Each structure stands twice: as C-alpha cells, then as structure tokens.
Amino acid sequence: MTMIRMNNIHKYFGSLHVLQGVSLEVAKGEIVAVIGPSGSGKSTLLRCMNQLERIDQGLLEIEGIVIEAAGDVGIKVTATPQEVRATYRRMGMVFQNFNLFPHMTALGNVMEAPISVNKVTKATAVQIAEKQLAKVGLLEKKDTFPSKLSGGQKQRVAIARALAMNPDIMLFDEPTSALDPELVGEVLSVIKKLAQEHMTMLIVTHEMGFAKEIADRVIFMDDGKILEDSSPKEFFENPRHSRIKTFLEKML
Amino acid sequence: MDHMEYVLNILPFILSGLKLTAKIYVATLVIALPLGLLAAIGKVKGSKLIKQVLFLYTWVWRATPLLLQLFFMFYGLPVIGIRLSPFAAATITYALNYGAYLTEIFRGGIESIDKGQYEAAKTLGMTYPQTMRRIIIPQTVRRVLPTTCSEAVNLVKDTALLAVLGLPDLLRIATQIFTRDFDITPFIVAFILYLIISSVLVKLFGKLEKMYSIYE
C-alpha cells in the first residue's frame, strides 16, 4: 500500500524555487532516509507532506486520499476538509527543536492531543501517555517539565507525544541536529525501536551511519530535486553522482 | 480633639469612598482583561478590517489623556444625547482605556510565542481555537503577567481621577473632609490607604507570578 505519493511537487518561497518537481512514493512500513546539504529542500519536503507548507504545484496523496492538487494537474481534491485533516493527522511529526509545550509536564505533553483531538477521557489519556513514555524510556520523568529535561529526553518525549496519536507515518525533521553528541544515541535507539515495529518513517538526517543502518531507501536531495533514490548499500558504496560522492566525503 | 479619635471619626466616610473606587476598579478589570485578550487575538489573526478597526482603537485610546477621555464621556456624550450614569461612564472609559493598553501587551505576548508551538499543535491535529486555548494563551499569560500586574496597580491610582469629575471616590471624599475641617489628616489617611491597596495587589500578583512560573 502506498502511504505517501508526491507527484511533481513544486514549492516557492518568494522567488526561491525550493522544490523543483519532486516525485516520491513511500510504501507502508518503508523507512526512508532523506539526506542532502542544507538548503536542498529536505525539510520543506517533509513539511509539505503534513501541510505545514502548502505546495504550489503538484499532487499530494496520503493513504490514497488526494490531500492537495495544486496547479494544473488534472485532478481535483474530492475529500472533505475533515477527511483531509483526519489523514494528515495520521502523520506524526518530530521537530529539530522538539517544540514541546513548556507549560505542561512530560505526561501533559503526551496527553494533550488524545484529549483535545481524539476526545478520550482523562483516565484513558493518562494510560496512553504512560504507555508511550514507557516506550521511550521516560516513564519516571512523567511529572517533569520540559525545562528540566535534557535535549535527548525532550526529543524522546516529543516522539512519545507524536506516537500517542497512533500515527501510520512518522516524519522526523533532523531529530538529532540540536542535540549534544552524547545525547544523539538515545534518540536514535528509540527510532530504531520504531523501525523494528515496521512503522513507516521518513527521516531527514545528517547521521550517515544511522541512515545506512536502518533505512530501506536513501533519498539524496540537492537544490530542490531528488538526485538519487536507492538502497543504502548502493547509495553509500556506489553513488551515481559525483555530487553525492563529494557530499559523503565531507560528511564522513 | 484627640488625633486618633479624629481619624476614626472620618474613616467611615473615607472607606465609603473606597467602596466606589473598588467597584469601579473591579468592573474595569472584569471588562478590560477579556477585551484586551480578544482584541489581541483579533490583532494577530483577524481579517484586514478587524485589524484596521483595532488599530484605530488602540491608537486613539493610548494616544490621548485618560482625563480627557473621561471628560468626553461625562460632558461630551450628553451633548449628542447619550446619557450614562456616572458609574457607567467612568467604568466604560476606564475599561476602554485599559483594554487598549492590555491589547498591546497581550498582542506582544502572543507574538512572542515561538511558531514551533503552533506547528507542533497543528501536526497533532489540534484546531486553531484549541491551539490558542490550550497552548498559546497559557504561555502568553505567564509572559504578560508582570506587565499586566503593573497596569493593574496603575489603575488603582488612575481611579483617583474620578475625584476631578466629582464622583465620591476615595480621594474626593478625603478632599471634601479637608475643605470642611481644614485639616490634612484625610489626605494622609487616603495616602496610607492607597499605599496599602497597591502593596497588597503587588503581593497578590507576585504570588500569581510564582504560581505560573512553576514550569520554568
């Protein structure tokens, strides 16, 4: 089953052409690492998937439902706004800067969406939240406010918060880029755990070793285009473009 | 006459003035706080027309003297046929004036919240009203509390302008006793009362700030 289908996506920021005709399909259970130099459009690609940015042209389908059909693509969005919302709600997002709610405890952060969006009772929300916090290994920190957590712990709470909505797809936008090096591991191991459960994931990352280890596919973006879309083995051992070779040499 | 006895003698009058001051104070805050919050949200998220109306409102009410605004309400409105009770005229003026300042304070507070908070809420499926109510406003309240508190203390002192309009507030009553007895004691009593009220408020608001700073 195709979870995400992007066809010829274009996105502009003013006169800047950030995505220049990107096409991509992600199947259920696939783990896709998105790699590339900064400013290549990796984050924008992710942000277009869950409507944090609106595409200017192209077609976006999530789980078979047309979410956006911008420009002259010959298809119209037939889903109701509610259906569209429901669909992109099934995508969890993890941000580089965590974006935890600072006025709520770890538990409160994870409980919030189940209560306000899914309208579950408080008792159920506590159950859901405790389960997810246990999963990321932070149950004992449930009553702690984000300001008292380390970067790695914050990011794990953020992952638990996204998981509490029971998403089909997880989007990670440079989840370890804001972390001190010694804290990167704990976040990556949580993501690995999700990989073992065959969660569909897109991960924008600069952690090459990690990408090589867990990804089914590696996408290399440069200048708003997908330059390569191949298996990690092929990507790291035998990249087709010289641009990728230079990039990898700099990273390793 | 024994001085203490004189003070006790005039105190009931002065306290009756304090009652009016307190009524107008509370009524003003009850109107101005929600008004400021709604207008601030309107300024951040409203349509172009709403934004223009709100710009005009905060501009006019913050750029002219409060006393002049009170004069307009008391002496200007009757000229065009609108007659309000002195209490209503005073409360409306204070509420609109303080509402304008609070609008700007709250707007600044809302705009200081990182856009990542909106994005996190959005990706969790929360609607805009939910995001405001549950995520943005609580953080805004924490941030604007100190400035709002100093406004609330200012209001105590600004209510003394009522005396100029002849309303029997704390200061007006004190003035009346002064002209009757030619003794400045009522002023000293009023002075001390203002001091006490303001200090109690500062203390209360300090507690409130502490309560809200729990997550820092």
Side-chain angles (χ1 to χ4, degrees), chain B residues 51-117:
Chain B
K51 280 182 182 161
Q52 278 170 347
V53 170
L54 289 172
F55 167 78
L56 207 66
Y57 162 58
T58 52
W59 172 54
V60 169
W61 283 84
R62 292 194 311 150
T64 53
L66 175 55
L67 187 56
L68 182 57
Q69 294 164 4
L70 285 164
F71 282 159
F72 266 113
M73 283 288 189
F74 273 71
Y75 309 122
L77 285 186
V79 174
I80 56 167
I82 300 172
R83 285 184 188 283
L84 298 170
S85 72
F87 179 81
T91 305
I92 291 172
T93 314
Y94 280 118
L96 286 173
N97 180 284
Y98 272 77
Y101 282 99
L102 292 174
T103 300
E104 286 307 310
I105 292 171
F106 293 164
R107 181 189 60 81
I110 292 173
E111 285 176 348
S112 77
I113 306 293
D114 182 52
K115 77 173 178 23
Q117 294 287 305

Side-chain angles (χ1 to χ4, degrees), chain B residues 107-187:
Chain B
R107 181 189 60 81
I110 292 173
E111 285 176 348
S112 77
I113 306 293
D114 182 52
K115 77 173 178 23
Q117 294 287 305
Y118 292 90
E119 291 189 344
K122 191 177 175 189
T123 56
L124 288 169
M126 294 172 77
T127 62
Y128 185 76
Q130 282 172 342
T131 305
M132 290 309 276
R133 205 178 63 240
R134 300 278 311 158
I135 310 298
I136 307 301
I137 304 291
Q139 293 182 59
T140 303
V141 168
R142 168 69 194 99
R143 284 193 195 179
V144 301
L145 210 50
T147 348
T148 307
C149 294
S150 80
E151 284 296 311
V153 174
N154 275 340
L155 179 59
V156 177
K157 295 171 282 170
D158 274 346
T159 56
L161 290 175
L162 292 170
V164 182
L165 295 155
L167 258 76
D169 79 319
L170 177 57
L171 182 58
R172 175 73 180 178
I173 301 274
T175 314
Q176 281 172 342
I177 300 170
F178 165 74
T179 40
R180 188 192 67 190
D181 299 344
F182 277 107
D183 188 320
I184 61 152
T185 308
F187 285 145

